Amino acid sequence: MSKYKAEIIAVGTELLLGQIANTNAQWLSKRLADYGMNTYYHVVVGDNLERVTATLEQAGKRSDIVFITGGLGPTDDDLTREAFQRLSQQQLVEHQGSLDKITEYFTKNNRHMTPNNRKQSLVFQDAHVLANDVGMAPGMIVEYNQVLWVFMPGVPREMKAITDHQVLPYLDKKLQLNAVIQSRMLRFIGIGESQLEHHLKPLIDAQHNPTIAPLASEGEVAIRLTAKANTKTEALQLLDQAESKVQNHVGDYFYGYDEEVIQEKVVQMLEHNSMTIAAAESLTGGKFTDTLVSVSGASNVCKGGIVSYTTDVKQNILNIPKEIIIQDGTISEACATLMAQNVQKTLNTDIGISFTGVAGPSEVEQQPVGTVFIGLYHQSGKLIVKKFNFQGDREAIRNRAVKKGLELIYQFCQMDNKWV
C-alpha cells in the first residue's frame, strides 16, 4: 500500500475571500484515495509571491508529493511558477507545443494575443509537461529535492482532465502505487455523538484498518469507515467486516449510507407502507413540508401542510378550541395533539404531524426559547407527543425540530406502526 504523503496547495486570493469554494482539493483528495494515496494537508494561499514561496518551502519539508492548483495563468498575480523558481532555482523555458496551441486559439477566434499570454507556455526545463486539452496553460511534474511537484491549472475542468488522463497514470506507473483507499459513511439518527462514541469505544480503541471516525451534524451523527488495501475488492471486504461490528453495537439507530439523507428515507418508507402524511406547522413555518417535498417522489406521500403560525389560524383553520388555548396555551402537549389530529382529518391522510414551540428570540407563554412540542397521530388512533428543549439560535432550533420530526416518522415506520 502507498507510503507516500500527499499535500494539496490551492493558490488564489479569491479562495481566501470566499468568492470561490476550494472544490479542487475535495475532488483531488477523493481521486488520490482511489489510488491508495494519503492526503495529509490541504493548504490555501493567496496571490502573494512571498507567501506562496514560503508555503511551497514548508510543503517540501513534510510531504512526498505536492499538488499545486492555480497560479499558472497569464496575469501578474499568477505567481506559482515564480514562487517555485525562487525555491528551486530551476530555469523556466517556453514549451513550444503549448505556445503554438495558445497562438492558434487567438488566431481562430480573431483576437489579438497580448504578450502576457506567452507566460502560460512557460514550464521548468526538466519538467514532465502535462498537455492541457481543455484549456491553455499546461501542467507539469517536477522532481526536486526528493519531492514530486505536480503543477496544474486552477480551473476545475482543466485540473480534473489533467489529473485523470495524465497525472494519475504517470504516478501509478512511476510509484507503483497498487493500492486503494475506500470509505463508507454510515448514518444514524436518534442517538447523540457522545452516546454513539460510548457504544463504539471498544471498536474505536482497537481500530487500525479500517479506521473509524465519528462525525456529528445537526440532529444526527455518522461513522466514516476508511479501509486501505491492495485492491478495491479487499478494501470493500474490510469495510463490510467493520460495518458488521458497528451495526452489532448501534444498528438500531442506523438509517442510511454515504450521501443519503433522512428525508429521502422517510419518503421511501412512507411509500413502502402506502401511507400519506400532512403537517401542521407553527414555529417551523412550513420548513418540514418544504424539506419533505424536496425529495423526488414526495408527492406520493405528502398531501400538503398548514402553516398555523398565529393563534387565530390555529383556531379558525385547525379548529383548536379557544378553551385549550386559554387553559394550556399554544405551546403545549394539548395543542400539539389537536394540531396533529386535526391536520390528519382535514387533509385526509394516514398521518398528521405537528410542530409548535418557541424559536426565539424571547420566551412565549412563559415557555423558554428552545421549547418544542411535536405531535404524531395515525388515523388508527395511535398518538405520540414529545417535548424537546433544543439549543442554538432561532434557525438552529427550527432545523432541529424538523430533523426530530423526521426521526419520529422514521421510527414509527420502522416499528411496523406500533408505538413503544
Side-chain angles (χ1 to χ4, degrees):
M1 291 181 284
S2 174
K3 62 181 182 296
Y4 301 103
K5 292 185 287 187
E7 177 164 347
I8 300 171
I9 299 172
V11 180
T13 300
E14 67 277 8
L15 296 168
L16 293 175
L17 293 175
Q19 295 169 340
I20 298 176
N22 186 19
T23 57
N24 280 352
Q26 179 189 29
W27 183 89
L28 190 52
S29 286
K30 288 181 178 179
R31 293 298 287 126
L32 295 178
D34 291 337
Y35 282 74
M37 295 182 63
N38 296 300
T39 301
Y40 280 58
Y41 303 100
H42 281 185
V43 180
V44 179
V45 60
D47 300 309
N48 176 280
L49 186 57
E50 300 294 334
R51 289 194 287 273
V52 175
T53 304
T55 299
L56 296 180
E57 184 177 11
Q58 181 186 45
K61 293 176 180 178
R62 66 189 183 187
S63 300
D64 304 305
I65 308 173
V66 181
F67 297 85
I68 305 103
T69 66
L72 300 179
T75 61
D76 289 341
D77 62 355
D78 289 308
L79 300 169
T80 297
R81 299 181 194 85
E82 290 83 345
F84 188 73
Q85 187 176 41
R86 272 195 178 191
L87 179 68
S88 67
Q89 301 302 309
Q90 295 198 21
Q91 184 179 353
L92 281 164
V93 296
E94 283 187 343
H95 182 250
Q96 191 60 48
S98 298
L99 181 58
D100 290 345
K101 181 180 179 181
I102 295 168
T103 304
E104 183 183 5
Y105 169 82
F106 281 94
T107 302
K108 280 186 175 181
N109 288 276
N110 295 316
R111 293 173 57 189
H112 172 66
M113 178 175 156
T114 55
N116 61 351
N117 278 285
R118 297 182 72 99
K119 177 182 176 182
Q120 295 185 92
S121 70
L122 292 176
V123 299
F124 292 104
Q125 190 168 32
D126 298 324
H128 173 76
V129 179
L130 307 167
N132 187 345
D133 295 329
V134 294
M136 290 196 187
M140 51 187 154
I141 300 176
V142 180
E143 292 188 56
Y144 168 69
N145 205 19
Q146 297 182 313
V147 176
L148 276 177
W149 303 81
V150 183
F151 299 88
M152 293 181 289
V155 179
R157 70 186 187 96
E158 297 179 28
M159 183 275 298
K160 291 176 182 179
I162 289 175
T163 297
D164 279 340
H165 300 154
Q166 298 182 71
V167 174
L168 290 174
Y170 176 91
L171 295 177
D172 193 26
K173 183 177 179 181
K174 181 178 181 62
L175 304 178
Q176 296 182 334
L177 297 173
N178 296 323
V180 296
I181 298 175
Q182 290 285 309
S183 293
R184 180 181 301 169
M185 195 81 76
L186 309 180
R187 299 194 173 276
F188 302 86
I189 198 162
I191 184 172
E193 183 184 15
S194 59
Q195 186 183 1
L196 183 79
E197 193 167 341
H198 172 74
H199 285 303
L200 297 179
K201 192 174 189 307
L203 299 181
I204 294 172
D205 289 345
Q207 67 177 309
H208 173 60
N209 183 29
T211 58
I212 303 172
L215 306 168
S217 61
E218 196 167 62
E220 60 180 89
V221 290
I223 292 291
R224 186 185 64 237
L225 304 175
T226 305
K228 295 178 66 176
N230 292 322
T231 67
K232 183 176 180 179
T233 299
E234 291 176 8
L236 292 176
Q237 287 174 346
L238 289 172
L239 290 178
D240 288 342
Q241 292 166 11
E243 181 187 340
S244 179
K245 294 176 182 177
V246 170
Q247 296 282 18
N248 286 339
H249 285 76
V250 289
D252 289 344
Y253 304 97
F254 171 78
Y255 79 80
Y257 294 98
D258 298 322
E259 302 304 317
E260 285 186 299
V261 290
I262 187 62
Q263 55 265 35
E264 292 175 347
K265 205 71 174 182
V266 164
V267 168
Q268 291 169 11
M269 295 182 77
L270 287 172
E271 189 167 17
H272 176 75
N273 287 288
S274 301
M275 289 194 295
T276 56
I277 190 169
E281 303 187 59
S282 184
L283 88 154
T284 48
K287 187 179 282 284
F288 173 85
T289 305
D290 179 65
T291 300
L292 208 59
V293 300
S294 68
V295 179
S296 177
S299 59
N300 295 324
V301 299
C302 182
K303 283 195 174 183
I306 297 173
V307 177
S308 53
Y309 203 62
T310 60
T311 300
D312 62 328
V313 174
K314 291 181 179 71
Q315 286 183 266
N316 299 327
I317 304 299
L318 283 175
N319 300 313
I320 309 299
K322 185 176 181 180
E323 296 76 21
I324 291 291
I325 293 174
I326 294 173
Q327 179 179 324
D328 298 280
T330 59
I331 303 162
S332 64
E333 180 178 335
C335 187
T337 296
L338 288 173
M339 287 172 64
Q341 290 174 332
N342 292 354
V343 78
Q344 178 270 319
K345 293 171 186 173
T346 301
L347 297 187
N348 189 29
T349 58
D350 297 291
I351 296 174
I353 188 169
S354 65
F355 300 84
T356 183
V358 189
S362 56
E363 67 175 35
V364 176
E365 298 176 0
Q366 298 182 325
Q367 297 277 15
V369 173
T371 302
V372 175
F373 289 88
I374 302 176
L376 197 62
Y377 176 76
H378 187 265
Q379 62 176 349
S380 64
K382 300 186 179 92
L383 169 72
I384 187 170
V385 181
K386 289 196 173 184
K387 179 181 180 181
F388 303 95
N389 294 288
F390 296 124
Q391 302 298 313
D393 61 19
R394 179 179 176 82
E395 196 63 14
I397 290 168
R398 297 173 71 228
N399 287 334
R400 287 170 183 167
V402 169
K403 187 65 71 71
K404 187 60 70 171
L406 291 166
E407 177 192 326
L408 291 176
I409 299 167
Y410 178 75
Q411 290 174 342
F412 173 70
C413 294
Q414 261 199 327
M415 290 184 289
D416 195 26
N417 304 347
K418 295 177 182 177
W419 296 112
V420 295

